[in-house]
Each structure stands twice: as structure tokens, then as C-alpha cells.
Amino acid sequence: MFSRKITALAIAAMLASGAIGVTAQDAFVAPTSTAEAHQLRTDAMKQMGGLLRSAPNATGADAVAAATTLLNTFTNLPQMFPEGSSEGTDALPAIWENWETFTGIIETGRSAAETALAAAEAGDTDTYGTALRTVMGTCGQCHQQFRS
């Protein structure tokens, strides 16, 4: 019980500080330069990494907030990888050479985040946990294939 309270407090603090959380009024703006794309990806990956470390223990509104952020990020992720934006990053050119595979992995993560959100809203912790594990798997799959 103590660790759940700590997790809830950590997620609440991240939400309050703006470290996580995308609300309905926060419209995604696609990057207009390679530098912007790099920064957007870096920020998104750090945010998702933090969420995926804490979200499995989240419940209630904290789980909904975490799943919402994951869903929004996965929805917008392909736009964070404009063609030619690999220079100076860990992103491999294979992303654009195998765009369908790349976006297919992202779609699996997006779908799992959508499932996590529905489960969080319903209070279904088992489905929520399973969906988060699927999201985590897609992160690893993508990084193994498309990150140097």
C-alpha cells in the first residue's frame, strides 16, 4: 500500500510540474525542423520512459492520466520522425527504409495505450497492466530495430 501511495504521489507531482500529461487542449504541433524533431523525440522518449517505470503501479485518475499521455504520444510519434531527421541522433535510416514496419510497431503501441486507457477508466487493473507490458514491448522492439 505504501508503494502505491508513493507512486501516486510521484505521478501527481509529475502531472503538476508538467513533466507528464497532455490534456485535450494541448494540440500536437509537428516539428518544422530537424532540430525540433530531435528535441521533440528526446522529450517524448524521456517522458514515456518515466511513465512506463511508474505507471504499472498507478490506479484511478493517475492511471488514466498516464495512459492518456501514452496514447497521445504514440498517436503523434510518426510525425516526430520526418524523413531525413536521423543525422546526429540514434535513429537509424532503417526507419524510413522500413516505414511500414516502423509505423506498425508504433500502431501496436498506440492500440495498447488505448486499451490501457479504457482499462484504467474501468478500473480493470489486470488489463491495464497487460496493456502496459505490450507498450513496453513495442518500445524495446522499435529500439532494437531502429536505434543505434
Side-chain angles (χ1 to χ4, degrees):
M1 185 62 147
F2 181 72
S3 75
R4 283 185 185 222
K5 286 182 182 179
I6 296 296
T7 298
L9 288 172
I11 291 173
M14 289 191 301
L15 284 168
S17 71
I20 64 170
V22 176
T23 60
Q25 64 264 31
D26 291 339
F28 176 78
V29 177
T32 57
S33 69
T34 299
E36 214 174 86
H38 293 174
Q39 190 60 55
L40 195 56
R41 290 195 304 249
T42 298
D43 293 347
M45 298 302 165
K46 285 181 182 176
Q47 181 184 46
M48 283 199 303
L51 272 176
L52 290 170
R53 282 188 289 282
S54 60
N57 295 317
T59 58
D62 294 331
V64 170
T68 298
T69 299
L70 289 169
L71 177 57
N72 287 336
T73 302
F74 271 95
T75 298
N76 297 310
L77 206 51
Q79 296 177 71
M80 296 180 204
F81 287 87
E83 192 162 358
S85 64
S86 66
E87 189 174 324
T89 72
D90 291 339
L92 294 173
I95 289 171
W96 300 277
E97 295 163 3
N98 301 289
W99 186 251
E100 292 80 22
T101 301
F102 178 72
T103 56
I105 294 168
I106 292 171
E107 176 54 29
T108 299
R110 192 208 60 74
S111 179
E114 189 172 59
T115 299
L117 177 57
E121 290 172 336
D124 181 350
T125 57
D126 289 338
T127 301
Y128 174 74
T130 299
L132 288 180
R133 285 188 292 281
T134 300
V135 169
M136 289 179 212
T138 62
C139 294
Q141 185 181 12
C142 195
H143 286 183
Q144 285 176 352
Q145 292 183 47
F146 299 111
R147 182 178 179 200
S148 62

